[in-house]
Amino acid sequence: DGGITQSPKYLFRKEGQNVTLSCEQNLNHDAMYWYRQDPGQGLRLIYYSQIVNDFQKGDIAEGYSVSREKKESFPLTVTSAQKNPTAFYLCASSIIGGSGANVLTFGAGSRLTVL
Amino acid sequence: KNEVEQSPQNLTAQEGEFITINCSYSVGISALHWLQQHPGGGIVSLFMLSSGKKKHGRLIATINIQEKHSSLHITASHPRDSAVYICAVSPLLIHYGGSQGNLIFGKGTKLSVKP
């Protein structure tokens, strides 16, 4: 079955450490996204990518980095510069162009806790 | 002011009740989405609509573009409907630019259906 796989599902990090969250999709989608979800808030866009080797900052990119070396993969690194990294992180993908471009397919999420 | 507002924030219903969740938005949009997030965290897309009404099983979504308002209805509610329901909009690119998949999310409505 096609879908998006995020790993790990739960991750604990000490302050000052970088961590990388994995996101892989086999939907042949061109666009991929990373969102952050905090309690009582709507999802906020961190980074997105529409093509391999290119990505754009979202609304809250500070303290995060991404890469898009393959169409299927869009890993997110939470760096030590991110002041409040404890959150639920969701990866999503979509096609580009046409009405289907608005429909996102989401992964199951990764919950990061900083100790 | 949030660009996408949902009400109520929390909703408790008895099994079998008719449920309505409301969403108002303040920006020009190309589409509106209703999403469902289960306790485990994964999100699924329920509807994408730009006019009128859509129905899928016991779920009905309506939108009034002139009033910038949408409703999600659940008929004959069941405990398995318990989840967070999220309204999101695809803003017009002339206003926001960026990817077609960039959505603006509401904070969600937490629904609990008691047996």
Side-chain angles (χ1 to χ4, degrees):
Chain A
D1 285 339
I4 297 182
T5 302
Q6 287 188 241
S7 63
K9 190 166 178 63
Y10 299 96
L11 184 60
F12 298 89
R13 184 195 98 173
K14 292 182 180 179
E15 282 193 29
Q17 287 182 334
N18 292 354
V19 293
T20 296
L21 307 180
S22 169
C23 178
E24 304 276 334
Q25 54 101 357
N26 60 3
L27 299 165
N28 200 33
H29 285 173
D30 287 302
M32 296 187 74
Y33 310 83
W34 275 105
Y35 290 94
R36 171 180 171 140
Q37 187 177 38
D38 294 282
Q41 293 196 39
L43 276 70
R44 292 180 291 168
L45 182 66
I46 305 172
Y47 269 99
Y48 66 96
S49 167
Q50 294 182 280
I51 194 170
V52 173
N53 293 323
D54 187 54
F55 45 83
Q56 308 297 326
K57 292 183 179 179
D59 300 320
I60 54 166
E62 185 175 349
Y64 299 97
S65 66
V66 292
S67 63
R68 187 88 186 274
E69 295 177 3
K70 298 186 300 181
K71 184 176 181 178
E72 301 80 19
S73 179
F74 192 41
L76 174 74
T77 297
V78 184
T79 75
S80 57
Q82 169 51 233
K83 300 302 181 192
N84 186 21
T86 295
F88 188 60
Y89 292 89
L90 283 153
C91 180
S93 69
S94 73
I95 64 172
I96 292 179
S99 60
N102 289 302
V103 179
L104 297 178
T105 300
F106 286 87
S110 294
R111 188 168 299 280
L112 172 62
T113 303
V114 174
L115 304 173
Chain B
K1 182 182 185 300
N2 293 327
E3 291 156 318
V4 179
E5 299 269 8
Q6 288 184 236
S7 63
Q9 282 186 297
N10 294 282
L11 181 56
T12 299
Q14 287 297 128
E15 183 173 356
E17 285 184 359
F18 180 83
I19 289 164
T20 296
I21 299 170
N22 295 299
C23 176
S24 297
Y25 55 92
S26 59
V27 298
I29 68 170
S30 59
L32 183 140
H33 307 255
W34 282 103
L35 310 167
Q36 181 189 54
Q37 185 172 31
H38 278 284
I43 294 177
V44 295
S45 179
L46 298 175
F47 295 104
M48 182 182 74
L49 62 165
S50 54
S51 65
K53 174 172 138 178
K54 285 191 176 181
K55 183 176 190 290
H56 185 256
R58 295 180 295 105
L59 302 177
I60 304 167
T62 64
I63 187 168
N64 185 319
I65 296 293
Q66 286 72 32
E67 294 185 4
K68 294 188 174 178
H69 181 269
S70 175
S71 293
L72 176 68
H73 305 286
I74 304 175
T75 61
S77 60
H78 190 276
R80 64 174 175 266
D81 297 325
S82 298
V84 175
Y85 292 84
I86 300 171
C87 174
V89 300
S90 299
L92 291 173
L93 293 184
I94 58 172
H95 297 307
Y96 281 81
S99 166
Q100 288 178 279
N102 289 4
L103 305 184
I104 303 173
F105 294 83
K107 295 181 180 181
T109 295
K110 186 174 182 180
L111 171 65
S112 177
V113 181
K114 306 294 185 187

